[in-house]
Amino acid sequence: MRWIALARARLKRVTDAVLPPRPAPCEPASDALLVQAPMGGECWNCVERRQISWRITGGLDHPCCVLLERRTEEGEWSEAAVLASQVDPRALRASVVVPELPEGPYRVRITSPELLYDACSPPLTISRGGTAHAPARTR
């Protein structure tokens, strides 16, 4: 088995001479947060309670703000409502009430001064009644 280790060492020397060694993968420059729910495609009704959840890497300590953004006709996102503020990111979730808003496409955005980039969910739809996906009742 020693010959395998010697062969690997020789091969490494040859390849390092031809190709420069690749740098080690960079660690994230700052903490990161990833929205896990909503996952996108959901239909939310106004004035219903919803769970927003996320996962974090690193040690976020500064409170987060959970926002709802609406897609404009130009395809841009604009802030529509603050769902929760001063949320401890280590809680990994927030229970929010969907505000009375016009129907249409929205997304959740989570911000914090500690985050290099805000975290956003995929688009979801807000409806004004009765069209949310609910489990069927059994009799």
Side-chain angles (χ1 to χ4, degrees):
M1 294 298 192
R2 180 161 161 64
W3 68 270
I4 293 174
L6 291 172
R8 283 187 182 157
R10 285 185 190 143
L11 182 60
K12 182 171 179 1
R13 281 194 301 271
V14 170
T15 56
D16 285 351
V18 175
L19 301 169
R22 287 185 280 163
C26 296
E27 291 298 318
S30 68
D31 299 317
L33 185 145
L34 176 67
V35 177
Q36 291 188 302
M39 295 176 16
E42 294 97 336
C43 184
W44 288 5
N45 285 322
C46 294
V47 197
E48 74 179 349
R49 184 160 293 280
R50 287 294 183 149
Q51 289 290 322
I52 309 227
S53 64
W54 55 87
R55 65 183 173 93
I56 58 174
T57 59
L60 289 174
D61 294 321
H62 198 280
C64 293
C65 190
V66 181
L67 308 171
L68 198 57
E69 294 182 320
R70 183 164 197 220
R71 187 186 316 244
T72 65
E73 290 181 13
E74 295 80 31
E76 302 292 322
W77 293 98
S78 67
E79 186 176 323
V82 175
L83 297 176
S85 59
Q86 299 297 311
V87 177
D88 183 349
R90 296 167 294 187
L92 303 179
R93 69 180 47 90
S95 180
V96 300
V97 174
V98 180
E100 290 279 348
L101 293 167
E103 293 183 336
Y106 290 83
R107 73 177 181 184
V108 171
R109 181 166 59 101
I110 301 175
T111 66
S112 172
E114 287 184 325
L115 293 173
L116 186 57
Y117 300 103
D118 293 346
C120 297
S121 73
L124 58 98
T125 302
I126 290 186
S127 176
R128 288 197 153 268
T131 60
H133 304 293
R137 290 185 180 185
T138 58
R139 292 181 185 205

